[in-house]
Amino acid sequence: MSILRAEHLQKTFGGSGAGAASVAALDGVDLSIEQGEFVAITGASGSGKSTLLHLLGGISRPTAGSVFLEGVDLASLDDDALARVRRRRIGFVFQRYNLLPELSLVENVSLPLVLDGVADARSEAAARAALETVGLTPRAGHRPDELSGGEQQRGAIARALVAEPAIVLADEPTGALDSVNSRRVIELLMRLVTERRQTVILVTHDPSIAAVAGRTIRMRDGRIESDHRNGPERGVEAAAPPSAASTGAPRE
Amino acid sequence: MTISRLLRRQWRKRPGRALATVASVAVAVAAVVATWVAADASRAGYRRLAETVEGVPSIDISARGGGRFEATVLPKLADIPGVRAVVPLFFRPTLLRVGEKRVREVAVGVDAAALVEAGLLTLTSGRPCEAADEVVLDAALAEGLAKRIGDEVIMFARRSIRRMTVVGIADSQSLKWFAEGGGVVVDIQPLEEMSNAFGLVDRVRVVVAPGGSRPTVLAAVAKRLPATLAAEVPAGRAGMAEDVLHSANLGLDFVTGLTVAMAFFLVGNAMLMNVTERRRSFALLRVLGATGRQVERFVMAEAALLGAAGSVVGAAAGLAAAVPISAGISRTLQAPAASLVVHPLVIPAAIALGTLVAVAAAWWPAREAADVEPLAGLADAPPPPRGVSGRFLAMAVVMWAVSAVVMTLVVWEWLPPRAAVPAGILMMLAFVATTPIVLPTLCAACARLIPERWRIERTLAVEQIIRQPIRTALTTGVLVVAVSNAIGLGHAIRDNVDDVRGWYTRLMRADWMLTHAGMVSGGLAMAGPKIRMAEEEVRALTGVKRVEGIGVAAGRVAGGACVVVARDIPADTPLPTDPVGTTEADLRVALDRGEAAAGTVLARRSGIKPGDEVEVEVYGRTARVKIAALVVDYTSGGASLLLRRDVAARLFGLEAADIVLVTAEPGAMASLRDPLQRIAESHGMLLRSFENVQAFINGIVGGVVNSLWMILGLGFVVGSLGVANTVTMNVLEKTRTLGLLRAVGMTSGQVTRLVVLESVLLGVSGGLIGAVGGMCTALLIQLASQPLLGHPIRASLRPTVVAVNLVAAVAVTVLAAWIPARRAVHLDLLESISTE
């Protein structure tokens, strides 16, 4: 049974004002993702890959069509219920880490649990466990500005999995990292799939990272151009090193 | 908990933002506290002033149909809340002989010792009279008669001659409020015996306690009285000072209300900016699963904490500011300085109010934060420009409509003048709420005046202003309210002052004025001893061009109390009063025919119209008099009825004058001083020059006006601080933008100009909108005060008032922008670019 399903998904931006032209970012996307899949969404800039990810993650609502997460139509949920789904069932990893600069790493990681009303002690324990998973236990008390780009992104992954979500969505998670850190991040995401049977959906424009995933969906002009399985997920070592274009992260 | 830690750390990380928010609340609360306390000081000052000029607020109880009555029929009144004292009064015309001099006087029978003890009678020397052969003399009369403590005067009564010893000298002002022109105070029982009227009184004066409401006390007293007695406000006491007090109180209420409105703008803007700046943080929380309600609660909790902190600081600062302002107001009102009394509830109320306002002001930004689209909040690009929503405009239209309806009802006298205060404030809020519609266009138009060589700075400044019309409106709202307030009230005050000055210049057009010694110039008392002899002697003097006698008597018209003014009206001089709705020539003809002119306030209170024939009672004589016209008159608060003197003499026997106005031939004014002084002394009268009277009235009017100006000035200072704070927050919020501009090569001069130009545009636009609002406010105040005064006051455009305020508005914004502009220049580029 699919854990995530999209039916006739459409998303249009703009066009509400007089004379303003509307842009169709997604145009009738149908998609089904099984539990434990590692899916890479690729495509050129403006192809609609990030828009698809945002709709699948419930941080944006479709213009038309539906997204079913574990059989629940996200469009049928009100704002608060959707927020609870994001908090409990979905983990997000962004290109720019998006850690709150005012909080320490462990506090950042525990945030989804805190928002869910989990007691401080329990949420901190869970956060430390998640940090251990990503190898950041010694950095738990540090603020984001005291961490390197790679550490921040691993911290963001720890935050994404602290609530043990059904799926983890990652939007260009290596886009701001150098090759070493990129490899570590992808390795972490792969471990989620192989060791925890979690579902990971990753947006990337880097073919070498896409090649690591078990399934690659290629987007073009808001539609799925191709959707093929790469066979069993390969190890990171098997993949080609990330391209130089993705090595923008300055530190470490 | 992590959320509260997040809050604390956000404050620590960006203390400027939190401090600016706290400062906004503090400034707003300080403004409200200072205005509140200063307004209270003004009210107390007005009250003291009113007491000085008109006497203590009181109510008179007299027999229906006139005459004396048995004091024993009077029920107990002292226990009525708001009653300070109950004073029986007995009047007796008498003649004093001092050496060869004989002076007509009125002896006043009271319990002098009790009055002194109650603080209602002040003795400048000696003690109260207690024995039958003791008197207390009015200070001015004693001076005129050259009498001191221990001297003897002979008092003629109907059946006896008594040798009396002067045991005390009374302060003229304190004596005036109950003696009504009488200068000789005798214990009430001996005076009753002398008059063979033991146990009878002429009237009983009920003194209203400080802070008590005269109308409430009047109603309570009237309820207890037997049918044979009537209670009313003394005719000569519903006077100018009280009406000035009433109008000024309305002004103070209006200013206080606008300060609260301004405080709301300040706090609202601070909260909005505080939230907008952290849009990205809130968006991230939303992505991570925070519900809208959680974000809303977060913002509200922060608002409550910052609001409470700002309120505590503001309340203390407000009190500190109120001390010198209140002292200044007391000085300018020329009222005895009183120690600053702060109601015990002011501070807790201000802190609670400040916190509540902060929470209320945060409600909308909190909703905005809760509604942040997670995706939009995480975007690198700034949020798209937001126009004015239909709901916002609908709210403004409703506010306009409600305030306009209430104002109309006030002008039509269906609602009391006090209702104009909240309506005026609501109208001002509606006015500010409407400004986002015109502000972008106005800013763009003003920007055209900026030199072409600053095109880049100009374009960016206009873009910043137009991008967020609501926030720009809130920023300028503070300025709009301050400028509207200053221009509106400034015009209204000046117009009112001109009206009062025009009135007394017409009324007192003379070089010299002779009055009875016990009567203080400027406040017309009820009929006292007449000074016919003196008048005749003055007419006989060389160098006198014109002598006009004015007789004043308490009377009743159409069942209500009034003051009847009987006056010589020479054919070769303008009328001493300003007719409303008719010409001076027509009114003169009508007065010559024996008709009367009613003061506008009297007409409004008694429902008298021109053409009516009304029953007038003076000295127990009744006659029907036709009302020729209404006139602008502030004598006894406008409750006056003007008749030619010969007509008053024929109808009521009101023949002699209480005041004699003397106009000198050209160049003879100075030479008349000595002979007039001799006449005054020989008749126990006071001689005052017109300049002296003018200074006296100017002192009263000027005091009230200056106190209002001081509070208006306070509002302007608060507005300035608010603008300064808002501009500072604007710059803080734009740290990243300014850093980027610097990074791409904008010079420090360009950044300074950008920040300053933006402020100048806000200042000019806010000033211009405020000027329009001010003119409308002035017009509304004139309309709203019409029912109070009974006549419209001529509204005039005063370019100086408008120009001064506009220049001040621009100057304030430029000064306010300077420090933030310098700060923007010195931003660390890397740090500012990485600022979220």
Side-chain angles (χ1 to χ4, degrees):
Chain A
M1 183 187 162
S2 61
I3 193 166
L4 189 65
R5 197 171 81 246
E7 290 178 359
H8 317 301
L9 216 47
Q10 289 183 20
K11 181 71 179 178
T12 307
F13 291 108
S16 56
S22 63
V23 177
L26 283 185
D27 187 11
V29 170
D30 290 291
L31 180 68
S32 180
I33 294 169
E34 305 298 321
Q35 189 184 355
E37 269 195 297
F38 188 169
V39 182
I41 302 174
T42 64
S45 288
S47 60
K49 54 187 188 300
S50 289
T51 304
L52 176 60
L53 192 80
H54 295 148
L55 291 179
L56 294 178
I59 56 174
S60 176
R61 287 183 186 270
T63 310
S66 302
V67 174
F68 294 91
L69 175 66
E70 297 176 318
V72 177
D73 182 2
L74 298 186
S76 70
L77 302 177
D78 66 15
D79 204 45
D80 284 357
L82 192 58
R84 278 191 289 275
V85 167
R86 282 199 301 268
R87 181 196 296 167
R88 293 169 184 164
R89 307 305 299 153
I90 303 170
F92 287 96
V93 181
F94 301 96
Q95 182 179 1
R96 286 186 52 180
Y97 332 130
N98 282 323
L99 296 174
L100 286 170
E102 299 87 355
L103 298 180
S104 67
L105 187 57
V106 69
E107 285 165 345
N108 263 294
V109 172
S110 67
L111 207 51
L113 298 178
V114 170
L115 289 170
D116 207 29
V118 176
D120 276 7
R122 268 185 60 203
S123 57
E124 190 180 327
R128 288 189 182 278
L131 283 174
E132 195 180 345
T133 306
V134 299
L136 280 177
T137 304
R139 310 290 268 164
H142 289 256
R143 299 272 174 80
D145 57 359
E146 296 164 346
L147 302 173
S148 69
E151 285 173 329
Q152 287 191 56
Q153 193 60 299
R154 276 150 61 203
I157 292 172
R159 182 179 64 190
L161 43 98
V162 71
E164 297 179 356
I167 58 170
V168 173
L169 304 176
D171 191 359
E172 301 269 14
T174 60
L177 300 178
D178 59 19
S179 56
V180 175
N181 281 295
S182 293
R183 194 169 293 131
R184 292 184 74 175
V185 164
I186 296 301
E187 195 179 54
L188 265 174
L189 293 175
M190 284 208 48
R191 274 170 52 201
L192 297 182
V193 176
T194 54
E195 293 173 12
R196 299 182 175 215
R197 290 283 298 155
Q198 279 184 305
T199 308
V200 174
I201 304 172
L202 171 142
V203 163
T204 181
H205 61 270
D206 189 330
S208 62
I209 291 176
V212 175
R215 179 178 170 191
T216 303
I217 296 171
R218 185 167 178 77
M219 300 288 297
R220 183 170 178 167
D221 297 335
R223 291 166 185 264
I224 294 177
E225 189 185 45
S226 64
D227 181 353
H228 65 270
R229 294 179 192 278
N230 304 326
E233 283 81 19
R234 291 180 290 165
V236 178
E237 292 78 8
S243 64
S246 64
T247 56
R251 299 171 60 182
E252 188 174 286
Chain B
M1 188 182 166
T2 307
I3 292 292
S4 60
R5 239 174 283 154
L6 173 65
L7 200 62
R8 282 200 304 274
R9 293 202 185 142
Q10 284 189 337
W11 295 346
R12 272 214 296 271
K13 186 165 173 67
R14 299 289 301 279
R17 182 175 57 201
L19 281 177
T21 309
V22 170
S24 289
V25 178
V27 166
V29 171
V32 173
V33 169
T35 309
W36 195 339
V37 175
D40 270 358
S42 292
R43 286 190 187 96
Y46 296 160
R47 233 181 351 255
R48 289 194 296 276
L49 187 72
E51 286 178 12
T52 307
V53 176
E54 295 279 351
V56 185
S58 53
I59 289 158
D60 268 6
I61 297 169
S62 52
R64 285 189 194 277
R68 290 174 177 146
F69 63 94
E70 289 274 355
T72 50
V73 301
L74 197 70
K76 192 180 175 191
L77 301 172
D79 60 331
I80 292 174
V83 169
R84 180 177 168 188
V86 179
V87 184
L89 294 168
F90 187 91
F91 295 97
R92 174 104 185 84
T94 186
L95 199 66
L96 289 185
R97 203 182 80 191
V98 182
E100 293 305 307
K101 218 183 276 183
R102 285 172 184 231
V103 178
R104 287 184 183 279
E105 258 300 342
V106 171
V108 189
V110 287
D111 183 348
L115 284 178
V116 169
E117 198 182 329
L120 293 167
L121 175 62
T122 308
L123 298 184
T124 55
S125 60
R127 59 173 176 78
C129 47
E130 284 166 353
D133 60 350
E134 293 177 347
V135 290
V136 167
L137 290 184
D138 168 67
L141 179 64
E143 192 186 338
L145 300 175
K147 287 291 169 193
R148 293 192 186 85
I149 303 287
D151 287 354
E152 192 178 76
V153 290
I154 295 172
M155 211 169 95
F156 289 86
R158 191 175 292 168
R159 294 190 182 86
S160 60
I161 300 172
R162 289 221 178 165
R163 288 180 185 281
M164 313 289 277
T165 306
V166 179
V167 294
I169 305 293
D171 170 65
S172 296
Q173 295 288 358
S174 80
L175 186 62
K176 181 175 165 285
W177 79 266
F178 67 87
E180 299 179 351
V184 182
V185 179
V186 185
D187 191 58
I188 190 165
Q189 284 186 7
L191 194 62
E192 285 171 349
E193 283 170 15
M194 279 167 70
S195 311
N196 204 18
F198 190 77
L200 296 180
V201 291
D202 279 279
R203 67 183 70 108
V204 170
R205 183 149 293 167
V206 178
V207 186
V208 180
S213 156
R214 183 150 69 179
T216 311
V217 173
L218 178 63
V221 168
K223 219 170 172 179
R224 290 198 187 176
L225 292 183
T228 52
L229 298 181
E232 61 187 356
V233 173
R237 312 232 166 263
M240 186 176 89
E242 188 167 299
D243 268 21
V244 169
L245 176 74
H246 194 47
S247 313
N249 267 336
L250 282 183
L252 287 175
D253 288 347
F254 190 62
V255 172
T256 310
L258 281 182
T259 311
V260 173
M262 209 152 69
F264 204 90
F265 279 121
L266 266 175
V267 178
N269 204 14
M271 291 299 167
L272 183 63
M273 292 171 105
N274 189 28
V275 172
T276 312
E277 205 189 344
R278 287 176 296 162
R279 200 163 177 269
R280 204 177 159 83
S281 285
F282 294 130
L284 182 60
L285 286 176
R286 296 279 285 128
V287 169
L288 295 178
T291 62
R293 214 163 299 153
Q294 280 178 310
V295 172
E296 199 177 326
R297 274 204 299 269
F298 177 86
V299 174
M300 298 293 265
E302 184 188 36
L305 286 171
L306 294 181
S311 299
V312 170
V313 175
L319 267 188
V323 173
I325 292 171
S326 301
I329 286 170
S330 283
R331 267 201 306 278
T332 196
L333 282 172
Q334 297 168 16
S339 56
L340 184 67
V341 178
V342 180
H343 194 282
L345 282 177
V346 166
I347 298 302
I351 293 171
L353 194 73
T355 312
L356 272 177
V357 166
V359 171
W363 179 80
W364 188 59
R367 295 289 317 152
E368 290 274 295
D371 290 343
V372 164
E373 279 286 327
L375 205 54
L378 288 173
D380 278 343
R386 299 192 43 176
V388 182
S389 70
R391 212 161 65 176
F392 188 84
L393 283 181
M395 187 184 71
V397 169
V398 168
M399 283 157 74
W400 272 114
V402 171
S403 53
V405 166
V406 175
M407 274 294 181
T408 309
L409 293 178
V410 169
V411 174
W412 287 352
E413 295 184 48
W414 289 11
L415 284 174
R418 187 161 283 274
V421 173
I425 292 163
L426 189 65
M427 197 168 270
M428 182 59 71
L429 292 177
F431 184 71
V432 176
T434 320
T435 54
I437 301 168
V438 293
L439 205 58
T441 316
L442 191 60
C443 277
C446 292
R448 287 173 196 275
L449 301 174
I450 296 169
E452 194 58 24
R453 65 176 180 279
W454 295 340
R455 188 166 41 85
I456 300 291
E457 297 92 313
R458 180 184 69 189
T459 309
L460 287 171
V462 172
E463 172 63 19
Q464 296 282 2
I465 290 171
I466 291 174
R467 203 166 177 83
Q468 297 285 347
I470 303 280
R471 207 178 64 203
T472 305
L474 280 171
T475 307
T476 50
V478 176
L479 206 62
V480 168
V481 172
V483 172
S484 293
N485 205 355
I487 291 180
L489 284 178
H491 273 78
I493 290 167
R494 296 284 294 272
D495 290 342
N496 273 284
V497 168
D498 282 357
D499 199 56
V500 172
R501 286 200 176 125
W503 159 72
Y504 76 69
T505 306
R506 272 171 171 268
L507 186 76
M508 301 291 180
R509 42 147 198 234
D511 298 316
W512 298 99
M513 187 167 97
L514 283 162
T515 60
H516 180 262
M519 178 187 282
V520 178
S521 311
L524 302 179
M526 290 165 65
K530 305 306 173 191
I531 41 183
R532 176 186 287 276
M533 280 170 64
E535 199 182 335
E536 294 306 321
E537 286 175 35
V538 171
R539 283 183 200 282
L541 288 176
T542 315
V544 170
K545 181 183 176 187
R546 189 167 55 244
V547 177
E548 293 167 74
I550 304 173
V552 185
R556 299 182 72 79
V557 61
C562 74
V563 167
V564 173
V565 178
R567 175 167 183 151
D568 289 323
I569 302 175
D572 60 339
T573 58
L575 280 181
T577 189
D578 192 8
V580 177
T582 185
T583 64
E584 193 172 315
D586 287 347
L587 177 58
R588 185 185 292 274
V589 170
L591 289 172
D592 289 348
R593 275 201 304 266
E595 295 176 13
T600 48
V601 176
L602 175 67
R604 183 179 61 79
R605 285 181 189 162
S606 310
I608 297 172
K609 295 186 301 294
D612 286 357
E613 201 164 274
V614 292
E615 196 161 84
V616 180
E617 181 198 330
V618 181
Y619 293 159
R621 288 166 69 171
T622 304
R624 291 193 72 76
V625 178
K626 187 175 178 185
I627 303 298
L630 305 187
V631 290
V632 174
D633 191 17
Y634 288 88
T635 308
S636 293
S640 60
L641 194 72
L642 174 70
L643 286 163
R644 277 181 64 109
R645 197 170 161 199
D646 53 338
V647 173
R650 175 165 48 82
L651 296 177
F652 309 109
L654 180 55
E655 194 175 349
D658 295 278
I659 302 167
V660 177
L661 301 177
V662 183
T663 308
E665 292 286 1
M669 185 187 161
S671 63
L672 277 175
R673 177 190 294 271
D674 290 342
L676 284 173
Q677 188 62 44
R678 276 195 293 277
I679 292 171
E681 281 172 10
S682 67
H683 294 280
M685 292 159 63
L686 275 182
L687 176 70
R688 305 186 83 162
S689 69
F690 179 68
E691 282 79 12
N692 198 273
V693 176
Q694 199 171 29
F696 181 82
I697 295 180
N698 278 346
I700 297 172
V701 176
V704 173
V705 168
N706 289 341
S707 68
L708 278 172
W709 275 123
M710 286 177 83
I711 293 176
L712 278 180
L714 176 69
F716 216 96
V717 170
V718 170
S720 314
L721 288 173
V723 172
N725 203 27
T726 308
V727 173
T728 307
M729 289 187 85
N730 255 325
V731 172
L732 274 174
E733 196 195 20
K734 287 196 293 254
T735 301
R736 188 179 159 87
T737 309
L738 293 172
L740 280 171
L741 289 171
R742 291 277 287 130
V744 298
M746 207 175 214
T747 65
S748 57
Q750 282 178 309
V751 170
T752 307
R753 268 196 299 278
L754 168 63
V755 175
V756 172
L757 277 182
E758 192 181 329
S759 293
V760 167
L761 285 176
L762 287 177
V764 172
S765 307
L768 285 174
I769 294 172
V772 174
M775 297 312 298
C776 296
T777 306
L779 196 65
L780 284 172
I781 292 173
Q782 307 297 24
L783 285 172
S785 59
Q786 191 171 325
L788 202 66
L789 298 171
H791 70 276
I793 291 180
R794 278 181 208 99
S796 49
L797 176 66
R798 295 170 191 274
T800 322
V801 174
V802 177
V804 164
N805 277 286
L806 272 176
V807 169
V810 176
V812 157
T813 45
V814 170
L815 284 174
W818 189 249
I819 294 173
R822 298 311 302 164
R823 184 187 176 279
V825 165
H826 294 108
L827 282 174
D828 180 279
L829 290 190
L830 278 178
E831 193 183 313
S832 55
I833 290 169
S834 62
T835 298
E836 288 201 31

